[in-house]
Amino acid sequence: MILSDPKPKLEEALALLNLGLNDEALAAIEAELLADPCHKVRITAVEIFNRLGHFDRAARCSDEILAERQNCSAEDLFQVSLAYNFSGRLRDSYELERSIQPMSNDISLVRLYGLACKAARLGLCREALNHLLSCFRFHNVESLDAHRKIFLDSEISSLWMRIPETPLSLRESMRFCNLPFDEILALN
């Protein structure tokens, strides 16, 4: 192990956070940001800031990360999107999350569910409905249980009231006509 390698220090900061030693975790990541503000340090800082509820600080750090977006993985972008969402930058969060190319069906379901919630909160009813209906194309992920949450989530509740007045084109309607609505409704 090389002492200048930031990885052990980042793991230590996350371990402190996991142990509930929030002040110590914050001090550790702040020290790393001053010493070596590389991509790995910044993305770890965003995770720590998000978990501690320092959302404005997470969003500022996220802006620095996106300046070098080519270094970002899908997981990094989700973490940045989360920081934007909780800091009140909902439009930035939505646009960033829309740009993420999911690598698996589980990630696709989580992404579509998040997009439906954000679009509904932004008043983009038609987009929210398309994201919401697209969620039903994927096998439900038990850890998320999106097929159940969709009917209970307060972020989407306004959408349910607006769906009857939201026109869908024939093309959009055909995309969703074979979804197992009866099964999903029966389970809920």
Side-chain angles (χ1 to χ4, degrees):
M1 174 172 73
I2 300 171
L3 293 178
S4 63
D5 182 19
K7 190 168 173 37
K9 295 175 184 177
L10 298 178
E11 289 174 358
E12 179 182 344
L14 288 169
L16 289 167
L17 185 65
N18 290 336
L19 290 171
L21 300 170
N22 298 346
D23 293 337
E24 291 82 356
L26 190 58
I29 199 62
E30 290 288 3
E32 283 306 302
L33 281 170
L34 289 174
D36 182 20
C38 68
H39 176 79
K40 187 139 184 75
V41 170
R42 284 186 178 135
I43 199 65
T44 303
V46 170
E47 180 180 349
I48 290 172
F49 294 147
N50 278 339
R51 288 178 55 190
L52 290 175
H54 298 276
F55 302 122
D56 289 336
R57 181 72 173 101
R60 285 194 305 275
C61 199
S62 294
D63 290 337
E64 295 166 2
I65 290 168
L66 287 185
E68 298 176 0
R69 185 175 174 154
Q70 70 276 7
N71 297 330
C72 294
S73 67
E75 292 167 354
D76 294 345
L77 294 175
F78 277 118
Q79 195 67 240
V80 168
S81 177
L82 188 66
Y84 286 161
N85 183 48
F86 287 125
S87 69
R89 293 172 56 182
L90 188 57
R91 174 64 72 174
D92 291 336
S93 177
Y94 178 70
E95 294 300 329
L96 179 61
E97 201 163 323
R98 261 184 39 181
S99 73
I100 299 170
Q101 295 302 313
M103 303 303 281
S104 71
N105 284 346
D106 289 357
I107 292 172
S108 292
L109 178 62
V110 171
R111 176 181 167 269
L112 287 167
Y113 185 80
L115 287 171
C117 291
K118 289 173 184 71
R121 288 175 47 211
L122 287 168
L124 304 172
C125 187
R126 187 183 198 126
E127 286 184 43
L129 180 58
N130 276 291
H131 296 310
L132 181 83
L133 292 172
S134 294
C135 286
F136 293 133
R137 290 188 148 154
F138 293 94
H139 181 68
N140 199 21
V141 179
E142 293 303 322
S143 61
L144 174 65
D145 201 8
H147 294 178
R148 180 163 170 73
K149 280 181 71 174
I150 283 171
F151 298 102
L152 304 172
D153 197 320
S154 62
E155 288 184 306
I156 301 177
S157 63
S158 64
L159 179 62
W160 291 115
M161 302 305 289
R162 296 176 64 197
I163 286 175
E165 61 197 42
T166 304
L168 289 179
S169 68
L170 180 59
R171 176 181 290 254
E172 290 170 317
S173 299
M174 293 302 290
R175 281 180 58 205
F176 304 115
C177 69
N178 290 324
L179 295 177
F181 287 116
D182 292 339
E183 244 179 75
I184 292 165
L185 290 173
L187 290 173
N188 285 291

